[in-house]
Amino acid sequence: MCEQDNRFQTMGQQFQRRSWAEPWKIKMVEPIEMRTREQRAQAIKDAGYNTFLLRSEDVYIDLLTDSGTSAMSDRQWSAMMMGDEAYAGSRNYYELEATVQEYYTYKYFVPTHQGRGAEHMISQAVIKKGQYVPGNMYFTTTRLHQEMAGGIFVDVIIDEAHNTISDHPFKGNVCLDKLTALIKDKGAENIAYVSIAGTVNMAGGQPMSMKNVKDLRALCDQYNIKLYLDATRMAENAFFIQEREEGYANVSIKDILKEFCSYTDAAWMSSKKDHLVNIGGWLAVNDEALFEKLRNMVVIYEGLHTYGGMAGRDMAALAQGIRECVNEDHMASRIGQVRYLGSLLENWDIPIVKPIGGHAIFLDAKAFYPHIPQDQFPAQTLAAELYLDSGVRCMERGNVSAGRDPVTGNHRFPKLELARLTIPRRVYTQAHMDVVGEAIKACFDNRNNTKGLKMVYEPEYLRFFQARFESL
Ligand code: PM9
């Protein structure tokens, strides 16, 4: 189990494989169907060219997100039948608490309905108005909760993360010089905490190294600053450490995960990703006083502190999902499938974020459509075009997702203008990946005929979910 997986060559080299296969077989299927081109054209127009506003039944292959879209195992389904639906003190709560403590090391645990419930509470509990929150690139919901609590997010990720063609093995790393400069400039007392995520979603699912988190721990100790982790895809991050970082080739994903968490003070989790469940999340901390505050907050916003918005059966499936997500064969096939799709696109010279990350392939829309300016939303355009071509749904991760600067009110115009093809865990086959690859190739071949979009409706918060566009 702990041996390094040599079925994949190390990064920077072409993905090479002797055939590998998923460590499971399928015992239930859900039919999907492709609409006609005329129906797809109508559906995407009705959705305001926003893939979030499509009806799922109009989608053929759904790569919108890996969040809550995984297939559960027979073990998880049978655990659901053992749900203890007591309002207070459910047996499943205690099992989940013990599982999180075992796999993530933190002392205290608070369940939440999903990741943003946890982000809301930690932000409100610890950020004072006007404090800075440095982090390794923004994430949409994380930054919004930090801002709504009065914080000011500052991106301190290494420069390579903003460069789609850099093949740095740990593009999720924090730049210690940028962080030190911020601390010296603003004063340690004005830093709420350092906010890190592994892997970094908006950078392309890119990992942080163990060395980086150890160095960060030392820096935070020097200035007495807390270090908090978004652990949503941290098991995937552990896979990359095992594959790429010296000294970890023979350490299990489970042990890498524990070691990484041990350098941080707290974590929040959207269990809808790594943990292979359709709903759920949590917060876990080492500080008892903070725990007491969070345990009191959870009853206001989520539910009693022994269910936090989840049913007993949800907690049962989640605890089992934690055990499954660190399985070496599971993780190798999960990342292997993402790499399979990426390698198809690389062979056609289609511009994608390199190296291929953990949960998704990210198309570089600026390079895909160099003739579409960023205020005509090239990544949103690409997502709409892909659906139109083939019924494949993906997600914009560019100018629309970045939103507006709260001070100037202008578009933020992020360096990365990406369309994300996110692979749900244990859901699609290699043949589906072939279809997706061919669909992207068809859009690429038609790129010079493609025009951008105009935003015609913009909601105040997290606009990418509900904004509407018209074709130019
Ligand atoms: N991520 C994703 O598709 C769900 C919707 S897009 C906002 O990538 C991180 C790293 C996430 C994340 C959700 C959340 C929020 C926190 N951190 O969706 O509230 O990728 O469970 O988690 C999405 P919830």
Side-chain angles (χ1 to χ4, degrees):
M1 286 277 271
C2 305
E3 277 172 25
Q4 188 182 21
D5 189 331
N6 58 10
R7 287 172 291 184
F8 310 115
Q9 286 189 334
T10 45
M11 16 147 354
Q13 296 167 279
Q14 211 194 351
F15 171 54
Q16 185 198 56
R17 67 190 177 92
R18 288 183 61 189
S19 292
W20 52 270
E22 291 79 5
W24 37 260
K25 56 185 176 174
I26 298 166
K27 75 169 110 187
M28 189 187 283
V29 296
E30 177 184 343
I32 51 175
E33 61 179 322
M34 164 105 85
R35 300 280 187 254
T36 63
R37 188 171 173 98
E38 290 68 35
Q39 288 170 328
R40 296 197 300 273
Q42 191 61 49
I44 195 70
K45 190 164 180 245
D46 291 348
Y49 298 91
N50 184 347
T51 52
F52 276 100
L53 301 179
L54 287 166
R55 287 170 182 247
S56 148
E57 62 190 7
D58 290 333
V59 173
Y60 176 42
I61 298 175
D62 201 348
L63 305 187
L64 183 72
T65 177
D66 62 334
S67 180
T69 52
S70 297
M72 291 206 295
S73 67
D74 52 359
R75 274 72 175 163
Q76 286 178 291
W77 280 110
S78 53
M80 285 194 95
M81 299 307 288
M82 301 297 285
D84 172 1
E85 306 303 343
Y87 185 87
S90 163
R91 182 179 63 244
N92 309 116
Y93 162 78
Y94 294 104
E95 186 204 357
L96 179 57
E97 178 189 45
T99 311
V100 170
Q101 286 164 340
E102 180 187 344
Y103 285 75
Y104 290 85
T105 73
Y106 307 101
K107 287 191 196 139
Y108 306 106
F109 161 80
V110 181
T112 63
H113 79 285
Q114 63 181 81
R116 69 199 80 169
E119 291 173 333
H120 168 228
M121 290 200 302
I122 192 96
S123 304
Q124 294 292 333
V126 302
I127 298 173
K128 295 195 192 84
K129 195 167 167 27
Q131 279 189 319
Y132 293 86
V133 189
N136 56 349
M137 199 173 273
Y138 86 98
F139 184 70
T140 52
T141 57
T142 319
R143 181 179 64 189
L144 180 61
H145 280 297
Q146 290 163 346
E147 287 175 352
M148 290 184 88
I152 303 160
F153 178 81
V154 183
D155 187 0
V156 291
I157 203 166
I158 57 171
D159 289 342
E160 287 85 344
H162 293 279
N163 174 359
T164 55
I165 56 173
S166 160
D167 64 357
H168 191 292
F170 290 105
K171 276 170 115 173
N173 280 353
V174 168
C175 171
L176 299 177
D177 291 342
K178 285 187 197 171
L179 179 57
T180 309
L182 182 79
I183 298 170
K184 286 191 174 154
D185 182 32
K186 306 296 180 191
E189 69 286 1
N190 292 318
I191 308 290
Y193 56 90
V194 176
S195 177
I196 54 170
T199 58
V200 180
N201 192 347
M202 304 301 281
Q206 303 295 333
M208 283 182 75
S209 70
M210 194 71 88
K211 178 174 182 325
N212 191 240
V213 75
K214 276 194 216 175
D215 291 346
L216 263 179
R217 174 77 270 164
L219 186 64
C220 288
D221 285 345
Q222 188 186 335
Y223 290 98
N224 201 19
I225 295 171
K226 298 289 184 202
L227 180 58
Y228 294 165
L229 171 68
D230 180 338
T232 296
R233 297 184 183 85
M234 194 54 225
E236 291 177 1
N237 198 115
F239 171 91
F240 289 110
I241 290 175
Q242 186 191 58
E243 182 186 62
R244 298 175 184 174
E245 195 162 353
E246 205 183 326
Y248 288 93
N250 295 315
V251 184
S252 67
I253 290 174
K254 180 180 175 185
D255 286 345
I256 294 172
L257 178 61
K258 285 173 84 158
E259 183 185 339
F260 196 101
C261 293
S262 74
Y263 300 122
T264 66
D265 298 297
W268 62 88
M269 181 82 199
S270 169
S271 292
K272 299 171 74 171
K273 284 78 166 177
D274 268 355
H275 293 163
L276 301 155
V277 286
N278 305 121
I279 195 74
W282 46 259
L283 260 173
V285 303
N286 286 330
D287 180 319
E288 192 175 356
L290 176 58
F291 167 63
E292 277 186 20
K293 193 171 182 181
L294 295 166
R295 189 178 51 178
N296 196 207
M297 282 175 84
V298 80
V299 299
I300 312 172
Y301 297 112
E302 301 281 308
L304 193 74
H305 59 277
T306 58
Y307 73 86
M310 286 181 279
R313 56 180 170 270
D314 297 330
M315 293 189 282
L318 204 172
Q320 175 61 20
I322 293 177
R323 292 190 280 273
E324 292 179 15
C325 84
V326 297
N327 177 282
E328 311 280 321
D329 290 338
H330 159 69
M331 196 55 86
S333 76
R334 189 276 184 285
I335 306 237
Q337 188 177 42
V338 176
R339 287 177 176 173
Y340 176 78
L341 175 59
S343 67
L344 292 179
L345 304 181
E346 281 177 328
N347 287 341
W348 286 317
D349 291 328
I350 293 174
I352 62 171
V353 173
K354 308 268 181 64
I356 294 167
H359 63 302
I361 295 299
F362 290 72
L363 302 174
D364 180 352
K366 279 185 185 168
F368 206 101
Y369 294 139
H371 59 289
I372 301 183
Q374 208 173 1
D375 62 0
Q376 292 177 13
F377 311 108
Q380 188 77 31
T381 304
L382 181 48
E385 282 293 309
L386 185 62
Y387 173 76
L388 179 63
D389 178 84
S390 57
V392 173
R393 170 155 73 170
C394 69
M395 182 194 291
E396 193 266 5
R397 297 275 76 166
N399 197 11
V400 187
S401 295
R404 290 181 186 273
D405 184 294
V407 179
T408 65
N410 295 332
H411 292 311
R412 283 181 161 114
F413 291 116
K415 285 202 184 114
L416 297 178
E417 178 72 27
L418 310 173
R420 188 186 74 176
L421 298 133
T422 338
I423 316 294
R425 297 162 187 80
R426 309 192 293 206
V427 171
Y428 290 114
T429 66
Q430 194 159 307
H432 289 117
M433 295 302 115
D434 289 333
V435 169
V436 172
E438 287 161 16
I440 295 165
K441 172 84 164 63
C443 293
F444 193 56
D445 292 344
N446 189 43
R447 62 193 180 280
N448 293 331
N449 302 319
T450 306
K451 296 197 174 72
L453 294 168
K454 181 170 89 170
M455 196 187 289
V456 293
Y457 168 68
E458 181 177 0
E460 189 176 355
Y461 300 115
L462 301 174
R463 62 183 184 177
F464 59 95
F465 282 132
Q466 293 156 336
R468 299 184 71 84
F469 301 82
E470 277 172 10
S471 184
L472 284 170

